[in-house]
Amino acid sequence: MESYFLDEEEGLEVERLDLRRYYRALFKKWWLIAIVALTVTIPWLIYLKSQPPVYEAQALIRFKNFAGNDIGLAQRRQIELTSRSFAERVVAQLGLSLTLPKQGDEFINRSRIFREFFTTMQVVSGQYILRFNPDQTYVLAKLGEDGVTEAPVHEGLTDDIVDNFCRANGMSFRIIPEYAQLPPEIRFRVRGFRNAVQSFQDKIKVRWVDRAGTLMNLTMTDTDPVVVAEMANRLSEIFIEESSGVKKESVQSHKKILQEQLEKAEEELQASDQELKRFKQNYSTDLDGEQKRSTTEIAALDKQKVGLQSTVKTLNELLDKKVENELGANGLDPEKKTVRIIMNQLAGHPVFDENATMLVTRSQLSTLERNWRDITSRYSSGNFKAKQLLQEILQTHIQVESIARQEITKLENDLVLVSRDLSKLESRVRQMPAQEQRLSELVRKNKVLERQYTDLLAKSSEAEISAAVETEDIEILDPAIQPEFPTNRDKKQKAAFGGIFGLFLGIGLVLTIEFLNRSIKTADDVKRFLRLPVLGTIPQIDFEDAYDFQDSEKIKQIDQQLVTHDYSPTPIGEAYRSLRTNLMFSKDTGRISTLVLTSNEPGDGKSFTAANLAITLAQLKSKALLIDGDLRRGVLHNTFGVPKEPGFSNYLTDVVPLQSIIHPTQIPNLSVISCGSLIPNPSELLGSHQMNRFLDEVRRKYDLIMFDTPPLNAATDAVVVGTQVDAVVLVIRAGRTDRNLAKSKLELFSSVPAKVLGAILNGTTADMAHPGYSYYHY
């Protein structure tokens, strides 16, 4: 195939101008950008308008006695604050199940209607109506599912529910004193309590201000500025009450036990003092220094022995309980709660405070328990991580039990030694006289009781101090205040953002469509993708739906709008004359006497271009012959008003002579050969000897012969005829011809001796057409 393809430098130059294609697409499809922008902006504006104002309130809670040594404690406090139990109390106390409908464009705050509103946890949900009657009475009714049927639930004098509560269906409320300004009917809805609790929990935001974990910032959001401040403050108060109450209860319980023990020890000490005093009065004797030392040592050893026995007994009891619960649970306690409590008590026994191994194990067990509680509070005990932590806790229990049994063995050995020393001292004392022995026993007992009383008194004082400190552990440093402005008051900025986003989305859509569009639109596209020179550009004809008609009807419409036959200086006529000039007088092409026009697919304007180009060629005073080579669907006979038969196919079948198929037209120097009768094998006839004989005859009679052949995707007739003529020209429809299809069809000429001269771009816009187009529209 011989053709005039562009070289690499020309291709690179065209590549630099590719951005103009996207600029033209944006300018041409401005309406699509506007539609997308409006489609995005209008719903966005409706959404913003429907959103109620959202207010935010913050409360700052301080933990005085927590210095951040336990990281898990901060997490547990945060989980407690956002727990369901706390949320239920706040929702019930503040009546957060209440929702008021929107009246017109205004959102109503409940503080404008109710002075107070709270509910129980069993509040009856549904739609309610509060009606104020002219006789100063009111009726509270519950609406049915249809929103019309009313079931009265409470009624009375309106003045009564200003100072007193109206209680019905689990809700209690008082209205404002200025109820005369309220509308006669107030509709409101009470949500299900669980839904209200869940909604409240979603509004809680907790943030630690400092790393030490002593300052907690609690943030709440709501549509009512009064309620949102009450929500934050009430949740903080409940949290403080709960935390302080638990600690205070624990401290008070400990104080009570110590007080009872102290009172009993005091009674025993007083009895011992009286008994020792009476004995000394009766016998008036005393012990020497050795007897006093013996008595003191016996008292110390006796106390040590009692302590050892008590410790060993406690440890053995805990281990026995652990074994009993493991055997008796029998799968009823999958979380091993009782066993874990026993083992935590065992690991935390004071006897292990000096045992380094137990201290490490105790810390590990505490960390595992804390992690397990955090996981189960967020998910469930059936969670994989929770099960894994439980197994690690049980493994640590084995270590604790082993250390405890070793400690019991050690304590039992110490007890044997102490008992031995005590026996020796008691044996020595028994050798004293009876009165001295009795005095020694009374002194020893008195000292033991005195030491016991002193220890309990010290512990009681510590408990008093602890109680005073613990009650002031948590406080509200900065209570929440009523916000003045909603957090979402920047609706204008958001609306502008939505408009800008819609605009850019429309631009992006147009650019994406343009990027995915594989059609050829400009002369630059022809040069870039097909690497063919553009011989001419024909502007788009201004008529509607012409390309949806049949070919004959289409040509009739087009022919009515052509003015090339009378030399009228129209933009279309000038475009064809420019094409004629490029075709006939180009220094690269040489003289052309025979030419084939083809296209990629029907509707590209091939026959229309062939007819107008033939007219302009005839206007050069040259004898031109236009041949309708589309032997399947030829239409040129309609364009020029000549008979369809006999025609070209009749000559190729050797039915009629040449002169009988040549028809003169109203255009001087232009003759037309119609397609003729429909035949079954047009491609074979176009490559026959009869075709060669035809070309020899018409070349002697005409200066220029032009063939209008079928589209390339319909038949290969253009390739067959192209091998017998001087040049082939491809007609491309701007915005319709697929560049990949056009490129693949051009490859049909690669294996035949045909010269592809270039392309004609048909149906271009005004800015892409012949440069002189604007001259006729100034």
Side-chain angles (χ1 to χ4, degrees), residues 276-497:
L276 181 60
K277 183 177 180 181
R278 285 194 300 270
F279 184 85
K280 288 183 177 180
Q281 290 176 351
N282 294 331
Y283 297 99
S284 301
T285 184
D286 194 3
L287 297 174
D288 58 13
E290 183 177 355
Q291 290 174 331
K292 290 182 179 180
R293 285 194 299 272
S294 297
T295 302
T296 302
E297 289 177 4
I298 289 175
L301 289 173
D302 194 19
K303 181 180 180 181
Q304 185 178 0
K305 179 181 178 181
V306 171
L308 289 172
Q309 289 176 338
S310 176
T311 302
V312 171
K313 180 181 178 182
T314 301
L315 295 180
N316 282 324
E317 287 178 351
L318 290 174
L319 289 174
D320 292 342
K321 287 182 180 179
K322 183 250 184 185
V323 174
E324 290 176 4
N325 279 276
E326 286 181 339
L327 296 176
N330 193 23
L332 299 178
D333 186 12
E335 298 179 4
K336 307 291 184 183
K337 291 183 179 179
T338 307
V339 173
R340 283 161 46 206
I341 292 173
I342 294 172
M343 297 307 290
N344 285 330
Q345 293 177 347
L346 181 62
H349 197 281
V351 73
F352 298 113
D353 289 347
E354 303 298 330
N355 190 321
T357 304
M358 181 60 87
L359 289 175
V360 173
T361 306
R362 181 193 298 173
S363 177
Q364 293 175 351
L365 183 59
S366 176
T367 302
L368 290 172
E369 287 284 355
R370 184 166 55 251
N371 293 339
W372 184 87
R373 286 194 298 271
D374 291 342
I375 291 295
T376 54
S377 64
R378 295 178 185 174
Y379 306 102
S380 66
S381 59
N383 182 270
F384 173 76
K385 183 63 176 178
K387 292 181 178 179
Q388 187 177 12
L389 288 171
L390 184 59
Q391 292 300 320
E392 294 179 9
I393 290 172
L394 297 179
Q395 291 296 324
T396 309
H397 287 173
I398 297 175
Q399 300 177 18
V400 172
E401 183 177 356
S402 176
I403 297 171
R405 294 194 181 281
Q406 293 176 8
E407 187 67 22
I408 290 174
T409 303
K410 177 177 175 298
L411 292 175
E412 289 175 343
N413 293 334
D414 293 343
L415 184 61
V416 171
L417 295 176
V418 170
S419 299
R420 186 183 304 165
D421 293 341
L422 184 60
S423 297
K424 291 180 181 179
L425 286 173
E426 288 177 343
S427 177
R428 187 188 306 169
V429 170
R430 278 194 296 270
Q431 296 175 4
M432 298 178 184
Q435 292 179 357
E436 294 178 352
Q437 182 177 350
R438 175 61 179 164
L439 178 61
S440 176
E441 290 176 356
L442 291 175
V443 171
R444 182 185 66 182
K445 179 180 178 182
N446 185 265
K447 288 185 176 181
V448 170
L449 293 173
E450 184 178 2
R451 185 171 300 174
Q452 182 180 357
Y453 176 77
T454 303
D455 291 343
L456 289 173
L457 187 62
K459 290 182 179 179
S460 179
S461 299
E462 291 177 0
E464 291 286 349
I465 296 173
S466 177
V469 173
E470 291 292 337
T471 54
E472 298 179 358
D473 186 35
I474 309 175
E475 67 175 357
I476 301 178
L477 186 62
D478 289 332
I481 60 176
Q482 180 178 335
E484 297 181 1
F485 304 102
T487 57
N488 59 346
R489 58 176 175 171
D490 56 341
K491 290 187 177 182
K492 292 183 179 179
Q493 291 87 334
K494 291 182 178 179
F497 173 78

Side-chain angles (χ1 to χ4, degrees), residues 88 262 288 366 419 470 485 562 567 583 637 643 669 692 774:
E88 287 176 347
L262 184 62
D288 58 13
S366 176
S419 299
E470 291 292 337
F485 304 102
L562 289 181
Y567 298 93
L583 188 65
H637 59 279
N669 302 317
N692 292 331
S774 59

